[in-house]
Amino acid sequence: MEGYIGKILRVNLTDGEFAVEDIDPDLIRQYVGGRGLGTKILYDEIDPAIDPLSPENKLIFLNGPLTGTGAPAGSRYMVITKAPLTNTIACSNCGGSFGPELKQAGYDGIIFEGCSEEPVSLWINNDEVEIRSAIDLWGKTTHETDDLIKAEIEDKFVARDTQIACIGPAGENMSKLACIISNKNRAAGRTGVGAVMGSKKLKAIVVRGTKGIRLADGKAFNTAIKSAMDKLNAGPVTSEALPAFGTPVLVNIVNECNILPTYNWQSSSYENAGKISGETMAETIVTRHKGCFACSIACAKCTEIEDPEFKGKGEGPEFENVILMGSSCGIDNLGAIAKASYLCNELGMDTISVGGTIATAMELFEKGYITEKDAGMKLNFGNAQALVAMTEKMGRGEGFGAVMADGGARLAEKFGHPELFMGVKKMEAPAYDPRGVQGMGLQYATSNRGACHVRGYTMANEILGVHEKVDPLITDGKAALVITFQNLTAIIDSAGLCLFVALCPGFLYEEVQGLLNGATGFNYTVDELVQAGDRIWNLERLFNQKAGFTKEDDTLPKRLLEVPAGPGNKVCELDKMLPEYYKLRGWDDGFPGKEKLAELGLE
Amino acid sequence: MDKVRIKIDHNKCTGCRHCETACSSNHYENMVNPALSRIRVYIDEEANQFFPVIAGPFTEAECTCKYDVIIDGKEYDECSVCRASCPRRTWFREPGTGVALKCDLCGDPADPHCVQICNHGALALVEI
């Protein structure tokens, strides 16, 4: 095969057996790779109704056909499993160099089954595969784990070329906010995929590969790379904003649009946004620009905090996490926000959900539903010390941190006020208030993994005007816009590209098509890819249906539906968009019917 | 070919390794493999330093006399940033066979693909 390797490693952690299997090329073609193909494998192999933390769940790491090929921003591997946080299908996606190295070792991905009794790590060096004890690594942070594994490799030059994906203490404790970390600071962040890895007692995957990836048509592929890079270098977001300021470039923009979650979404603008903006970060804490594998954008920002109280260094914070830990907690101390983010990376937790959960806890505290005695500390809005201290407790599962480590939905429910959880399907919402950007509200409600911005980033058109500027306050046309972005994103993810390519004008199916055809030789048509995106989305929906979800779950927090806010002083008018969304999706009663399934070959 | 050389500004490097994919796919038909690249990026994740290193001459044996270099206050083993194809290190040797790999500026006239692909200004082709 070309682009893709056509091989997947299956590892049974219960009995320690493993085997290399061929992947059916027809399936690859139909599902493109990564997210799509992984969903297909999971859907066929597990009962979607199982407990995500049981040995019956499977954990799939899977590259896209463009991962590691030199396609710009083609660095992503995806983790597909049933999500502990949401109980939906999970696909969490991560950059860095781990995915490309796994492919160089000769595998598109790994399927983990069962559950080990003792902590283990999986070591891969091309054809050599070995399960090793990880007892000594258990309890270590992701950074310590990375260092200890590399120290174990005799040849330090081989160690440097080795790539690692691991969990921290949060994953070991099966926190539903746990993520999987690669390159110390890159995360397969959302939906609690790290907890599944922890439930299987799998601490780390260690990969070294030197085999090479074959391309179907190297010349055509290079032409496609050039075309893609020319586009990325012409787009203001991908050539200027992200390289200079990283994702926090959005802080000022989103605040000016009056859609910035503040005080747990009680307000939609923050008076001190300037103190936590990308521009301020660039002036004060950014030390270096960094790129994932073969990325022409390089949005990652290495940062360092000198303030003795929050001293530390790492990468980020990223936009969502600046907001959820910052304005949403009423905190304008960039040092504290960065420190909490570093802790999340080291302990292996999703920064967005941790911020969202702490913001919910702060509102519960301010309203007297959680007391200082419950929490072991004052959790008032604006308490920067509490943000950092509670993040650490959550990551280590200590005290009240253990209660909060399963996310805001379960916390708010436990203390009798589920309405104060700001998310969908138990996942904390990202940092755009849909009362002022209606399409994002429909996207949160219908996303297959709960409130999520990277399943259909309509912000690109509604606020940033990337492909076409549309009015963020109206509901007309938003159902179609959301569907377009959701399906396109499914293809970008499955291909192994970073979603940020879609923040570039005109980077749509044609660009992905050119790259995919050069790498795989599949000669995809655009229509075929559009349909594949639709197929992936529908299959994810089917998974969720079998997991027990109904259309009543496609909703938003009460606050967003009932309390007007934002630039139009409106609520999110979900009821106006949702029926049209189902209709345009071709769904009867919220789910694909026989006709739609037949159209997509999903019967 | 002797009229040009590649200038490396390691402060501009982002550690993305795009140069490695471009180099290997130019030297091997329809293939991408950083292990076969004649340019490698030494990534120091702790100090956030990225050093692109371009393959130089082949040497049969490891140096007997070595020194350390200090870059931005941090000490590095000389081998980290050395450009030799040497038995001490896996870089610039074909996996399996050990055959030495050496930068050829992608032919004559020079047209180095690493320089073409670098989007961050870390690599430039300059006339001598």
Side-chain angles (χ1 to χ4, degrees), chain A residues 294-315:
Chain A
C295 184
S296 59
I297 303 171
C299 72
K301 300 290 163 263
C302 304
T303 56
E304 189 163 355
I305 301 296
E306 284 170 6
D307 177 355
E309 192 175 9
F310 302 116
K311 196 170 172 51
K313 63 184 206 173
E315 284 174 38

Side-chain angles (χ1 to χ4, degrees), chain A residues 353-373:
Chain A
S353 279
V354 167
T357 302
I358 293 176
T360 293
M362 284 181 166
E363 189 173 354
L364 287 163
F365 179 88
E366 295 268 352
K367 296 199 160 141
Y369 307 139
I370 289 179
T371 64
E372 189 177 344
K373 202 174 154 221

Side-chain angles (χ1 to χ4, degrees), chain A residues 424-425 441-448 478-484 486-487 534 537-538 541 544-545 549-556 574-593 595-596 599-600:
Chain A
V424 178
K425 298 184 176 80
L442 179 63
Q443 151 55 23
Y444 294 167
T446 58
S447 152
N448 285 326
K478 293 299 165 69
L481 184 71
V482 167
I483 292 169
T484 301
Q486 286 177 339
N487 291 356
D534 200 18
W537 192 267
N538 276 273
R541 183 80 177 176
N544 289 350
Q545 186 180 24
F549 285 85
T550 66
K551 64 177 187 174
E552 277 65 45
D553 296 303
D554 297 340
T555 186
L556 291 170
L574 186 62
D575 54 339
K576 286 192 184 166
M577 299 181 281
L578 203 49
E580 192 190 356
Y581 175 88
Y582 292 147
K583 195 176 151 216
L584 292 176
R585 277 260 174 229
W587 293 350
D588 327 315
D589 210 32
F591 290 92
E595 208 174 307
K596 183 73 191 175
E599 175 198 322
L600 297 171

Side-chain angles (χ1 to χ4, degrees), chain A residues 289-403:
Chain A
H289 306 294
K290 191 172 178 182
C292 290
F293 191 90
C295 184
S296 59
I297 303 171
C299 72
K301 300 290 163 263
C302 304
T303 56
E304 189 163 355
I305 301 296
E306 284 170 6
D307 177 355
E309 192 175 9
F310 302 116
K311 196 170 172 51
K313 63 184 206 173
E315 284 174 38
E318 300 292 338
F319 167 68
E320 313 292 333
N321 103 252
V322 167
I323 298 315
L324 274 301
M325 290 178 167
S327 57
S328 201
C329 291
I331 291 170
D332 62 8
N333 185 323
L334 193 53
I337 296 165
K339 180 70 181 179
S341 310
Y342 301 157
L343 283 168
C344 281
N345 286 347
E346 289 162 25
L347 300 170
M349 279 187 296
D350 171 26
T351 53
I352 304 178
S353 279
V354 167
T357 302
I358 293 176
T360 293
M362 284 181 166
E363 189 173 354
L364 287 163
F365 179 88
E366 295 268 352
K367 296 199 160 141
Y369 307 139
I370 289 179
T371 64
E372 189 177 344
K373 202 174 154 221
D374 292 326
M377 65 179 80
K378 280 190 178 149
L379 275 179
N380 51 305
F381 280 121
N383 189 340
Q385 287 75 17
L387 167 72
V388 174
M390 191 48 84
T391 300
E392 177 137 29
K393 282 186 182 299
M394 287 167 75
R396 298 198 182 276
E398 291 168 3
F400 197 67
V403 179

Side-chain angles (χ1 to χ4, degrees), chain A residues 145-427:
Chain A
T145 302
D146 204 286
D147 291 341
L148 285 166
I149 287 172
K150 287 189 173 165
E152 211 175 302
I153 300 168
E154 210 173 311
D155 185 329
K156 70 175 180 180
F157 294 100
V158 171
R160 282 176 191 173
D161 288 343
T162 300
Q163 300 295 333
I164 297 162
C166 66
I167 54 169
E172 296 172 12
N173 297 335
M174 291 182 266
S175 155
K176 291 183 167 62
L177 309 184
C179 65
I180 296 170
I181 294 276
S182 296
N183 297 98
K184 291 190 173 177
N185 297 301
R186 297 285 104 203
R190 306 220 72 191
T191 69
V193 291
V196 179
M197 196 156 156
S199 75
K200 300 196 174 307
K201 292 266 181 11
L202 177 64
K203 178 68 178 175
I205 307 166
V206 185
V207 182
R208 169 93 177 102
T210 57
K211 288 182 161 184
I213 303 166
R214 283 167 52 206
L215 299 169
D217 184 343
K219 269 197 184 139
F221 189 58
N222 277 341
T223 308
I225 289 176
K226 190 165 182 320
S227 161
M229 284 183 65
D230 286 347
K231 277 222 161 74
L232 292 169
N233 286 335
V237 179
T238 45
S239 72
E240 291 167 28
L242 285 172
F245 303 109
T247 51
V249 71
L250 284 166
V251 174
N252 282 332
I253 299 169
V254 169
N255 190 47
E256 277 157 25
C257 293
N258 202 358
I259 53 169
L260 190 85
T262 304
Y263 302 110
N264 198 34
W265 305 65
Q266 295 181 86
S267 165
S268 58
S269 70
Y270 186 46
E271 61 278 17
N272 294 337
K275 289 192 182 174
I276 56 173
S277 68
E279 290 82 345
T280 301
M281 270 180 65
E283 277 169 25
T284 56
I285 65 170
V286 172
T287 55
R288 184 104 197 203
H289 306 294
K290 191 172 178 182
C292 290
F293 191 90
C295 184
S296 59
I297 303 171
C299 72
K301 300 290 163 263
C302 304
T303 56
E304 189 163 355
I305 301 296
E306 284 170 6
D307 177 355
E309 192 175 9
F310 302 116
K311 196 170 172 51
K313 63 184 206 173
E315 284 174 38
E318 300 292 338
F319 167 68
E320 313 292 333
N321 103 252
V322 167
I323 298 315
L324 274 301
M325 290 178 167
S327 57
S328 201
C329 291
I331 291 170
D332 62 8
N333 185 323
L334 193 53
I337 296 165
K339 180 70 181 179
S341 310
Y342 301 157
L343 283 168
C344 281
N345 286 347
E346 289 162 25
L347 300 170
M349 279 187 296
D350 171 26
T351 53
I352 304 178
S353 279
V354 167
T357 302
I358 293 176
T360 293
M362 284 181 166
E363 189 173 354
L364 287 163
F365 179 88
E366 295 268 352
K367 296 199 160 141
Y369 307 139
I370 289 179
T371 64
E372 189 177 344
K373 202 174 154 221
D374 292 326
M377 65 179 80
K378 280 190 178 149
L379 275 179
N380 51 305
F381 280 121
N383 189 340
Q385 287 75 17
L387 167 72
V388 174
M390 191 48 84
T391 300
E392 177 137 29
K393 282 186 182 299
M394 287 167 75
R396 298 198 182 276
E398 291 168 3
F400 197 67
V403 179
M404 288 178 56
D406 281 339
R410 290 166 179 90
L411 179 78
E413 200 159 305
K414 184 179 165 75
F415 286 90
H417 289 275
E419 76 283 2
L420 298 188
F421 163 65
M422 300 305 296
V424 178
K425 298 184 176 80
K426 295 192 167 64
M427 186 155 92

Side-chain angles (χ1 to χ4, degrees), chain A residues 70 156 210 213 218 233 288 294 296, chain B residues 10 13 16 18 30 32 77 119:
Chain A
K156 70 175 180 180
T210 57
I213 303 166
N233 286 335
R288 184 104 197 203
S296 59
Chain B
H10 77 79
C13 178
C16 82
H18 218 173
N30 299 329
V32 183
D77 177 340
N119 211 38

